[in-house]
Amino acid sequence: MSQSSRTASITAAISAITVVGVGISLSIPLLALELESRGISRTLIGVNTAVAGVATIVTAPFVPLLVRKLGVRALLTLAIAASALSLIGFKAAGSFLLWFPLRFVFGAALCVLFAVSEFWINAVAPPHRRGLVMGIYATALSMGAALGPAILSLLGASGWEPYVAGAVVLLAGAIPIVLANGMTPRIHDDDHHGVIAFLRHSPTALLAALVFGAIETAVMSFLPLYGLRLGLGEGQASLLLTVAVLGNVAFQIPLGLVSDRVDRRLLLLACALVGTVGALMLPLMRVDGAGFLVTVFVATGVVGSLYTVGLAHLGARFHGANLAAANAAFVMLYSVGLIAGPPAVGLGMDFADPYGFAYVIAATLGAYALMVASRLAFKRPAAGP
């Protein structure tokens, strides 16, 4: 593939997933608000939302086979159509019971979208710029995700308008994919390792996804609550989350560039250590001070790079069907983290209110850092299976 074709291919993939990210970030809070307006209990809302994570775990092992049989473009287009139709289905469904199969389809479609898009980007990215490319991808996705709630605030959460808008935005993500004719990677080999096997072959990368998924959802769920428990007003507590999101956006490209110049396992270790220290510092600082905001900005920004550096590490190790399977495993473990993170941090806050928030995050990142350090100490090879 020529340099211009490679650039066009990467641009198409990032554009598509960014547009999809707008639709997803609009739809997820919309669905929660819809259920709230229907009088569904918060417990059942949480259970229904968790079905999407279960769908990811169930779907991920089949992604490599689907990519081989259907190809990248056809599979992504089908997944976008399924996500858009299921979003319309949520509004049309009169019975809450129908939301469970709809949520499963929606979650399975998102699993395919992210696993296959990341496989596409990883497979096409030039090896010496893979970290930079993944950093650009994560930055674009974060910026796209910020637009969804803004659109929702303009349209409101009642009526058909936000659902139609979300479906239209999701379908618009198919345009770059359709235009990328001849620019998507193909899998020619049928032999590949199973998704679970990659945990043994590349735990450093895959557990980065699990840890990031757990930390990301825990921060989104409990950081404002942490501020409230320590005396901040609602506006100031919400600002903490804004600072965390800005930190995540700010560090992706710089650390992506760094990852192209160093052993990515060392960088993953450094990210985990910075996050561990940052979390341990939070209980020692005034929550209304500038130092607290700086610590949140830096720690969450650096920890956010676990996902992109882990993806780049996979791209350097695996190819073809193995890369597709590795990306599917990556998305699957990220989803496991999404499910496991909030309950763990919530339990920690129940035992040590509110500092359990920081202690559980520090323990999670510290355990990951110990695992990476032990593998580096024994100098286990970075080659693929």
Side-chain angles (χ1 to χ4, degrees), residues 29-110:
L30 172 63
L31 296 179
L33 291 170
E34 175 75 22
L35 289 177
E36 179 80 16
S37 70
R38 294 189 184 191
I40 304 299
S41 72
R42 290 178 177 84
T43 299
L44 286 176
I45 292 174
V47 171
N48 184 256
T49 304
V51 170
V54 174
T56 297
I57 296 169
V58 171
T59 304
F62 299 99
V63 168
L65 175 63
L66 292 171
V67 173
R68 272 203 319 277
K69 298 296 184 183
L70 301 177
V72 168
R73 290 172 69 236
L75 182 56
L76 286 176
T77 304
L78 285 172
I80 286 175
S83 63
L85 289 173
S86 58
L87 180 58
I88 295 295
F90 285 117
K91 184 62 175 176
S95 170
F96 175 57
L97 290 177
L98 294 175
W99 278 55
F100 288 91
L102 283 169
R103 187 77 77 164
F104 188 92
V105 172
F106 193 68
L110 297 189

Side-chain angles (χ1 to χ4, degrees), residues 211 267-278 302-303 306 362 364-366 368-370 372:
V211 169
L267 184 56
L268 288 168
L269 174 60
C271 288
L273 289 174
V274 169
T276 303
V277 173
V302 172
V303 170
L306 287 174
T364 303
L365 290 166
Y368 174 73
L370 283 174
V372 178

Side-chain angles (χ1 to χ4, degrees), residues 355-381:
Y355 300 116
F357 166 79
Y359 298 150
V360 173
I361 288 176
T364 303
L365 290 166
Y368 174 73
L370 283 174
M371 185 277 296
V372 178
S374 68
R375 289 181 65 81
L376 286 169
F378 288 106
K379 297 181 179 180
R380 293 177 183 176

Side-chain angles (χ1 to χ4, degrees), residues 150-250:
I151 295 172
L152 184 60
S153 68
L154 291 174
L155 296 177
S158 60
W160 279 92
E161 291 84 355
Y163 290 90
V164 173
V168 169
V169 171
L170 285 168
L171 291 172
I175 296 174
I177 296 169
V178 172
L179 295 177
N181 188 22
M183 292 189 292
T184 56
R186 293 187 178 93
I187 296 178
H188 300 289
D189 52 319
D190 290 333
D191 185 33
H192 67 89
H193 291 261
V195 167
I196 303 301
F198 285 93
L199 261 179
R200 181 166 54 87
H201 292 300
S202 191
T204 300
L206 292 180
L207 289 179
L210 186 147
V211 169
F212 172 72
I215 300 301
E216 180 189 42
T217 48
V219 168
M220 293 295 179
S221 301
F222 292 104
L223 181 58
L225 181 58
Y226 180 82
L228 287 173
R229 294 286 178 84
L230 289 173
L232 293 182
E234 288 186 5
Q236 289 176 300
S238 298
L239 177 63
L240 295 179
L241 198 53
T242 302
V243 170
V245 171
L246 290 175
N248 191 36
V249 173

Side-chain angles (χ1 to χ4, degrees), residues 192-347:
H192 67 89
H193 291 261
V195 167
I196 303 301
F198 285 93
L199 261 179
R200 181 166 54 87
H201 292 300
S202 191
T204 300
L206 292 180
L207 289 179
L210 186 147
V211 169
F212 172 72
I215 300 301
E216 180 189 42
T217 48
V219 168
M220 293 295 179
S221 301
F222 292 104
L223 181 58
L225 181 58
Y226 180 82
L228 287 173
R229 294 286 178 84
L230 289 173
L232 293 182
E234 288 186 5
Q236 289 176 300
S238 298
L239 177 63
L240 295 179
L241 198 53
T242 302
V243 170
V245 171
L246 290 175
N248 191 36
V249 173
F251 279 87
Q252 296 293 339
I253 292 177
L255 288 178
L257 283 167
V258 172
S259 79
D260 288 327
R261 291 166 171 78
V262 301
D263 185 334
R264 291 189 177 97
R265 294 172 298 173
L266 286 173
L267 184 56
L268 288 168
L269 174 60
C271 288
L273 289 174
V274 169
T276 303
V277 173
L280 290 174
M281 287 175 61
L282 293 182
L284 306 177
M285 307 175 76
R286 287 178 47 199
V287 73
D288 58 348
F292 189 92
L293 293 178
V294 171
T295 301
V296 168
F297 180 84
V298 173
T300 55
V302 172
V303 170
S305 294
L306 287 174
Y307 191 90
T308 47
V309 176
L311 273 177
H313 185 44
L314 283 183
R317 294 195 63 192
F318 306 112
H319 306 280
N322 272 328
L323 179 57
N327 274 111
F330 197 85
V331 171
M332 184 177 74
L333 285 178
Y334 169 75
S335 296
V336 172
L338 294 183
I339 296 170
V345 172
L347 186 63

